[in-house]
Amino acid sequence: AMGLTDRRRAIVLFGDSLTQRSFEPSGWGAALAHLYGRRCDVYNRGFGGYNTRWCRSMVGELFPADETPLLATVLLGTNDAALFDVEPAAHVPLEEYEDNLTAIVTHLKSRCVHVMVLTPPCMDERQRLAFQKEKYGADAIGVLDRSNANTERYARCAARVAKKLNVPCVDLFEATWKACGVSPHEKKVARQDSVDPWAEPSAASATNASASETKASACEDVFVDGVHFSAFGQKLVFQTLTERIRAYVSSFHETGKTNDTYTLDPELMDSDWPFGPVLRGEPGEWRDKMYAHARSATIAPTLRSGDTKSRSVWRVEASAYADAENRLGRGLAALAVAAGVGLGMGYALGSAARR
């Protein structure tokens, strides 16, 4: 039986809330779905608040053996990097994080055509504390639940896992940190320096206030609460990811290691059905154009096993043949009626002549 997934490849976004929220109106996942429109279905499998420990327990069910997505992205680590003394349930030690992420990516490599690892981004520490105070008021704990210094350790670990398993890495930590106006190699704002965002700067930190405030202001454009992306941040993720995809595609085509069936270049993918302008023209030509598209297009759905293309073409052919048979049947019926009328008229004329 044919279904919704039979003519499109699948792209799966796997991760925590940074992935779950990627389908917001300005989200990077929504933009990716638009980029691959009519060629791939983009599935959001983001789970807010999850860490690699919990995601590792789910990955086998989410990516079964009888499905082969074209691409899976993995964005995990922000919750793993939560500070143990503040969020012990979410925190995952770095060594375990590396083991979990390795297991997740290894499983995805066995199921998907392409896998990409996205590192956790940086954060805006001052904005995070301000959001905490705004949300909880007097109940705010007044200390960071995450820090850039610790999150960077997890980002670097994610990059190592990607390199070890030979999959592309999208360094969101570096991209977001640069967007905050500071080189990734410059000193981060220390946790103790941003405990109270309303405190007056001390004399000891006055010399660094200008650079720090500039960074904090820039980071406010990237995040809405110090961790989750703003509209600008969502766009930044989309741009960083698609730039990496383009570089990855170029490297594959230069070495001849891929073909149009498994490319990640949307411009090289055939659409599921012909685009509307193709079908315009003579009113009676649309069926032939759909049939021609089904015969020539590379249809490689990745959520079902088996020869779906031949089944798709067969369905179009069967439909075309059925229509031809119907037209032939109608023509024969018309001839029979005409012949019957002719015989009747001949008999009537002959009888009249004999009289």
Side-chain angles (χ1 to χ4, degrees), residues 268-327:
L268 296 179
M269 295 180 182
D270 290 315
S271 59
D272 49 359
W273 297 94
F275 286 107
V278 175
L279 299 179
R280 293 173 184 164
E282 292 298 322
E285 294 180 351
W286 66 270
R287 192 183 306 277
D288 292 336
K289 291 178 178 178
M290 292 188 78
Y291 177 44
H293 179 86
R295 292 180 61 186
S296 63
T298 300
I299 305 295
T302 45
L303 283 189
R304 292 189 182 185
S305 58
D307 188 4
T308 310
K309 174 174 180 177
S310 63
R311 290 191 286 113
S312 301
V313 173
W314 175 86
R315 184 177 183 181
V316 174
E317 289 176 339
S319 176
Y321 290 150
D323 288 340
E325 289 172 356
N326 288 335
R327 290 195 297 271

Side-chain angles (χ1 to χ4, degrees), residues 333-346:
L335 287 174
V337 170
V341 171
L343 288 172
M345 290 180 65

Side-chain angles (χ1 to χ4, degrees), residues 143-226:
V143 295
L144 286 169
D145 54 352
R146 293 160 177 78
S147 72
N148 276 317
N150 195 48
T151 300
E152 186 178 19
R153 296 170 60 230
Y154 287 76
R156 299 285 72 82
C157 180
R160 288 197 304 272
V161 169
K163 183 176 181 180
K164 176 177 65 177
L165 298 179
N166 195 31
V167 299
C169 177
V170 182
D171 196 340
L172 292 185
F173 190 94
E174 181 172 0
T176 51
W177 192 259
K178 284 182 176 179
C180 288
V182 179
S183 165
H185 305 292
E186 292 185 34
K187 185 180 183 297
K188 280 55 174 186
V189 178
R191 181 183 180 189
Q192 61 271 20
D193 290 339
S194 56
V195 168
D196 187 353
W198 290 274
E200 292 296 325
S202 63
S205 62
T207 55
N208 296 324
S210 178
S212 298
E213 291 304 320
T214 299
K215 171 190 172 296
S217 177
C219 272
E220 288 176 358
D221 294 332
V222 180
F223 305 101
V224 293
D225 58 6

